[in-house]
Amino acid sequence: MKFTILSLFPEILEGFFNSSIMSRAVKNNLVEYNFVNIRDFAFDKHRTCDDAPYGGGAGMVMKAEPLAAALDSVNAGQTRTVYMSPSGKKLDQKLSLELSGEKEIVIICGRYEGIDQRIIDLYVDDEISIGDYVISSGEVAALVLVDSVYRLCEGVITKESLEEESFQNALLEYPHYTRPEVFQGRGVPDILLSGHHAKIEKWRLKKQLEKTLANRPDLLESGQLSDEAEKMLNEMVIQEEGPNGYN
Ligand code: SAH
C-alpha cells in the first residue's frame, strides 16, 4: 500500500513513518510513502500557496495552481484521491477497511481555511473528516487516516489482534491488564489469572457488552452482533430492567 501525501509541512509527517509499527511495515515493504511539498510547485517569486478568499471573509485559502501541479506530478487523476476536511464524510472502521484495499491513495492536507473548491471538484474522490471538530492542520488528520488504514493491510498486524479490537463485531473492546498483578492496591480480575480460556472469553464478551452499552449503545443496533453476544445482551438487559422491562 502506498500513501502519497501532499502537504505544506511534510516534516510533521516524518516522525510517524519513522517510528514503531509503521517503520517496520515500511522496512518490510508492506507500506510505501511519498511526501510531496506543495510549495515546491508554487512558481511565483514568493512561492505563494495561499490567497484571500473571493467574496471576502476571514483567513486564507490554499491556491489551486500549486496544488494542481503537485497532484499532476503524482498522477492523482489515476489514483484514489482524498482531501482531509471537517465537512467530509466521517471516517469509520468500515471506510478504513475499504481504503486498505487500494494499492495507493493520494491524500491532500489542508491548512488555513482549506483549499480552493475547484481542486475538490477536479481531483478529489473522497472528502474525509476525522470527527465533528476543527483542527488547524490537515497533516494531523491525514495521519489519523493513514494509521487507521495501514494497520488493516495484510501482514502489518496479526489477524488475531485485529479480530479482537473495538468496532469489530460492532462492539468496543474489553479491558486489558498486564503485570504487576497488584497496582496501587488494585488487583487483576481473578478470572484472567484462572487459565480457563472459555470462561475468560465469556467474561471478555460480557465486558465488551457492558462497555458498549454504557459508551456507545448506538453500535448495538447495527444488527452485527453474534448470536452469543445477542443472547448475553438480552440476559443483561433483563437482569437490569426486570422481565417486563422495568423493576
Ligand atoms: N475552514 C474550515 C476548517 C479549516 S481547518 C471549515 O470550517 O470547515 C484547516 C485544515 O485542517 C482543513 O483544510 C483540513 O485539511 C484539516 N481539518 C481540520 N479539521 C478536520 C477534520 N475534522 N477532519 C479532517 N480534516 C480536518
Side-chain angles (χ1 to χ4, degrees), residues 115-132:
I115 67 176
D116 190 293
Q117 179 63 34
R118 289 164 293 185
I119 292 295
I120 299 173
D121 298 341
L122 290 167
Y123 288 91
V124 171
D125 299 302
D126 310 76
E127 283 185 82
I128 298 180
S129 164
I130 58 166
D132 290 344

Side-chain angles (χ1 to χ4, degrees), residues 38 41-43 48 62-72 116 119:
I38 299 161
F41 295 86
F43 299 116
T48 314
M62 282 173 68
K63 285 168 69 61
E65 303 102 306
L67 260 172
L71 285 160
D72 288 341
D116 190 293
I119 292 295

Side-chain angles (χ1 to χ4, degrees), residues 83-87 108-115 128-138 141:
Y83 169 49
M84 302 313 302
S85 161
S87 49
I108 305 170
C109 306
R111 281 270 161 176
Y112 321 121
E113 292 306 322
I115 67 176
I128 298 180
S129 164
I130 58 166
D132 290 344
Y133 44 82
V134 176
I135 59 175
S136 45
S137 44

Side-chain angles (χ1 to χ4, degrees), residues 5-11 35-41 70:
I5 309 182
L6 278 64
S7 161
L8 285 171
F9 303 96
E11 63 277 10
F35 302 147
V36 178
N37 192 331
I38 299 161
R39 205 169 293 285
D40 293 343
F41 295 86

